[in-house]
Amino acid sequence: MLIDNTALRAFTALGVPGAGLLLIYVVANWLRPGSLVISEGWTAPSALAMVLSAAIILYRIVSPVPPPTASNPGPVSISLPHAASFQQMADTLAGTSRVEYLGFTPTELDARLAPRHVQGVDTAAALENLGIAARLQVRPFTVETPMPGRIVLRVKDA
């Protein structure tokens, strides 16, 4: 199963689409030796396959990736059970968003909160209300949402 140098040079010069065509050529030639002969008749189908592959690759490269959606852009409400820590409640309010805790001590993150209902017009407001509810056990903090899917809680004096 020898591939002549002209075909090998042509396929490898075409990059990724050419490598795919080379693979098809090798497999087809392995299944039925001598069945595929590269000639001028292959020019249009090969060029079409390369143009389509290049178009798909370029589209994926230049098309904008949709940002992840916020975990809960609307009103948020939660009831706090007895044994819930500040960090557990903040993570629950955040939903699928990732929460980063900057400047908090382990004692503050593990602080047990009294049972209460926390709500807000959105996740950030609910987290601010959680901070108000926990003000005796947790230092004041700011809520930042630098991007959808990520929430940063930062202690104000840190």
Side-chain angles (χ1 to χ4, degrees):
M1 179 177 75
L2 221 50
I3 300 174
D4 60 76
N5 280 342
T6 308
L8 182 60
R9 280 193 313 229
F11 283 133
T12 56
L14 299 175
V16 174
L21 289 173
L22 177 63
L23 183 64
I24 291 170
Y25 175 80
V26 168
V27 169
N29 214 13
W30 176 66
L31 293 174
R32 297 176 94 188
S35 65
L36 293 178
V37 178
I38 297 177
S39 63
E40 291 177 9
W42 277 62
T43 305
S46 298
L48 181 63
M50 289 182 298
V51 168
L52 288 176
S53 298
I56 292 169
I57 291 168
L58 287 174
Y59 173 75
R60 291 303 302 150
I61 289 172
V62 300
S63 67
V65 176
T69 58
S71 61
N72 193 348
V76 176
S77 176
I78 189 169
S79 293
L80 303 178
H82 283 285
S85 70
F86 169 73
Q87 184 175 11
Q88 289 171 332
M89 286 299 103
D91 288 340
T92 303
L93 281 170
T96 58
S97 295
R98 193 180 86 203
V99 181
E100 293 183 40
Y101 301 91
L102 302 178
F104 289 91
T105 65
T107 305
E108 289 174 318
L109 293 175
D110 290 335
R112 299 292 170 196
L113 303 178
R116 71 177 62 233
H117 186 77
V118 176
Q119 61 187 11
V121 294
D122 61 5
T123 304
L127 287 168
E128 289 171 357
N129 292 338
L130 178 66
I132 293 169
R135 67 182 172 272
L136 297 177
Q137 297 147 313
V138 178
R139 292 174 288 168
F141 60 89
T142 59
V143 179
E144 303 167 13
T145 53
M147 66 179 62
R150 182 172 172 230
I151 298 172
V152 177
L153 302 182
R154 185 185 313 268
V155 173
K156 287 186 179 179
D157 61 357

